[in-house]
Amino acid sequence: ENKNQGDEASRNMHGKRLFFFAEPQLWYKVFPKLSVGSRISVNYHVLAFTNTWQVYPSVGLRCKLDN
């Protein structure tokens, strides 16, 4: 993305800005209908304008129900 967005705040900026976003997941089946897992959201320049990495880990429980 261009650093200069055409507005007053970015008019003196030039060059490009790199964005990165990933959400890898890992699930383990404990029982035939029950799994536990984790997901990690990794962001760079997605939710902030600073040159920082943001990592948001989470854990989950998945249960498959029969209809």
Side-chain angles (χ1 to χ4, degrees):
E1 177 181 58
N2 291 328
K3 288 183 180 180
N4 185 337
Q5 296 291 305
D7 57 5
E8 187 63 29
S10 64
R11 74 175 176 173
N12 295 326
M13 296 180 179
H14 41 48
K16 301 287 184 181
R17 181 171 39 202
L18 172 73
F19 289 89
F20 179 79
F21 178 76
E23 285 190 345
Q25 297 182 23
L26 178 66
W27 291 94
Y28 178 74
K29 189 178 283 192
V30 180
F31 297 109
K33 295 185 181 187
L34 183 66
S35 301
V36 295
S38 176
R39 178 180 78 179
I40 300 175
S41 296
V42 181
N43 302 315
Y44 183 76
H45 273 170
V46 175
L47 300 175
F49 292 105
T50 59
N51 294 326
T52 58
W53 288 90
Q54 296 176 315
V55 179
Y56 301 100
S58 62
V59 296
L61 184 66
R62 186 184 302 178
C63 181
K64 183 178 179 183
L65 301 175
D66 289 332
N67 291 338

